[in-house]
Amino acid sequence: MLEIDNVTMRFGGLKAVKDVSLTVAAGDLAGLIGPNGAGKTTLFNVVCGQLRPSAGRVLFEGRDVTGWKPHRSIRLGLGRTFQITRPFGRLSLLDNVVIGAMCREKSLDRARQAALGRLAQVGLADRAQDTAQNLPLGLRKKLELARILATRPRMLLLDEVMGGLGPREIEEMSRTISQIHGEGVSIVLIEHVMPAVMSLCQRIAVINHGELIAVGSPQDIRADRRVIKAYLGESVAGDSPGGQGSAAASQTAAQAAAQATTASSATEA
Ligand SMILES: Nc1ncnc2c1ncn2[C@@H]1O[C@H](COP(=O)(O)OP(=O)(O)OP(=O)(O)O)[C@@H](O)[C@H]1O
Ligand SMILES: [Mg+2]
């Protein structure tokens, strides 16, 4: 469904993404992980047209969409959320989502109905009339998700929708993501919250210093020496070799991963 073909992205002398090739099949729920500054968001920016790659191509459902402006790829059904959300602060949550819905609905009434449905889906129905200004982080992440869902994506790229959330909010967000996937939307998620990535994703790609260093099942990734060295840390692998450990061991691994995660994300705003 999505084919990233030998993509390189340079910023001056810095190669933020180096010759990455990756495919995502229809129906996938895939993870994209790696340390801070690895090039994950840059790759999303290339796929969704925020950036034109220095080299390589992006194909969506067989069509070359390299360098397409975001409003065009959204119409094709390729949607993404932003790591740093910027809602229209003076507008209500409803109107923020209506803007997304207008991409599909010509009638304002229908767009409102669709937007209300999406707010309900992410658990924000009761706040539809609040203004988006000063919204706590957890609710901003939900709003960001509702906004892009209203554009009716067939593939959704999620950039750290769990970043900065508490355990309960992470659980809620995981459930929402599963439900969206269950509706037939293909998903790629960038996330540092390892327990959630490991339990949600069927396949995980790892990038480090702009290079794709591994692609595989959560079990493969947990056991991959390069991934352990670059990102996950020894404790995760030690507690659950190959992901085949007991439930208790997996839980410990998950907790360790969450801690490793906090360390690796410590520089984030
Ligand atoms: N527009 C830009 N101009 C110059 N350098 C950039 C630009 N965007 C990203 N970079 C650099 O490219 C590298 C990759 O950044 P990117 O934001 O893609 O990392 P990331 O994997 O998403 O990290 P994080 O987990 O912290 O979000 C970093 O060194 C970053 O400073
Ligand atoms: Mg990022």
Side-chain angles (χ1 to χ4, degrees):
M1 188 175 194
L2 176 69
E3 199 179 332
I4 297 168
D5 179 18
N6 291 101
V7 162
T8 292
M9 185 71 224
R10 285 192 205 93
F11 298 115
L14 172 78
K15 261 193 194 174
V17 175
K18 296 177 195 161
D19 206 20
V20 167
S21 293
L22 194 62
T23 56
V24 183
D28 266 359
L29 203 177
L32 179 59
I33 65 172
N36 289 129
K40 305 179 297 294
T41 297
T42 303
L43 193 58
F44 273 16
N45 286 341
V46 167
V47 169
C48 296
Q50 276 79 27
L51 292 171
R52 177 179 273 279
S54 315
R57 296 185 315 159
V58 178
L59 305 175
F60 185 64
E61 297 186 318
R63 198 184 305 208
D64 191 333
V65 297
T66 317
W68 277 33
K69 291 290 169 223
H71 67 270
R72 277 184 83 196
S73 35
I74 277 185
R75 283 203 162 275
L76 272 191
L78 184 57
R80 59 93 51 100
T81 64
F82 287 89
Q83 186 170 354
I84 298 166
T85 62
R86 294 199 179 87
F88 295 102
R90 293 198 188 166
L91 299 186
S92 65
L93 303 201
L94 178 61
D95 285 343
N96 268 278
V97 181
V98 164
I99 292 170
M102 293 299 283
C103 150
R104 300 284 174 204
E105 304 284 1
K106 293 213 171 62
S107 127
L108 189 57
D109 257 5
R110 296 245 294 273
R112 272 210 194 94
Q113 285 315 309
L116 279 171
R118 294 316 193 172
L119 282 169
Q121 189 175 4
V122 302
L124 284 179
D126 55 337
R127 307 197 55 146
Q129 300 304 335
D130 293 4
T131 58
Q133 219 157 18
N134 305 325
L135 207 60
L137 180 69
L139 303 189
R140 261 198 346 254
K141 298 274 184 186
K142 290 180 174 178
L143 176 61
E144 175 73 355
L145 190 54
R147 176 189 67 78
I148 197 66
L149 284 173
T151 70
R152 285 200 245 132
R154 281 175 297 122
M155 173 167 282
L156 192 49
L157 310 188
L158 303 176
D159 196 348
E160 296 199 35
V161 284
M162 300 180 193
L165 304 191
R168 237 184 78 189
E169 290 174 313
I170 287 174
E171 214 170 278
E172 268 177 39
M173 188 58 89
S174 293
R175 240 181 287 128
T176 307
I177 291 171
S178 290
Q179 189 222 338
I180 296 165
H181 181 239
E183 286 173 10
V185 180
S186 311
I187 296 178
V188 183
L189 69 113
I190 294 177
E191 199 51 71
H192 286 291
V193 182
M194 281 309 104
V197 174
M198 295 290 174
S199 68
L200 279 171
C201 297
Q202 304 147 345
R203 218 161 57 94
I204 298 174
V206 189
I207 60 174
N208 187 37
H209 297 305
E211 277 176 80
L212 191 68
I213 60 167
V215 182
S217 68
Q219 288 91 327
D220 294 341
I221 292 303
R222 270 206 203 99
D224 188 297
R225 300 308 306 173
R226 281 182 83 186
V227 177
I228 291 164
K229 187 156 181 279
Y231 184 54
L232 290 180
E234 289 294 340
S235 53
V236 176
D239 282 336
S240 183
Q244 299 300 312
S246 67
S250 300
Q251 182 57 34
T252 319
Q255 284 162 353
Q259 280 153 19
T261 287
T262 313
S264 85
S265 305
T267 53
E268 262 180 77

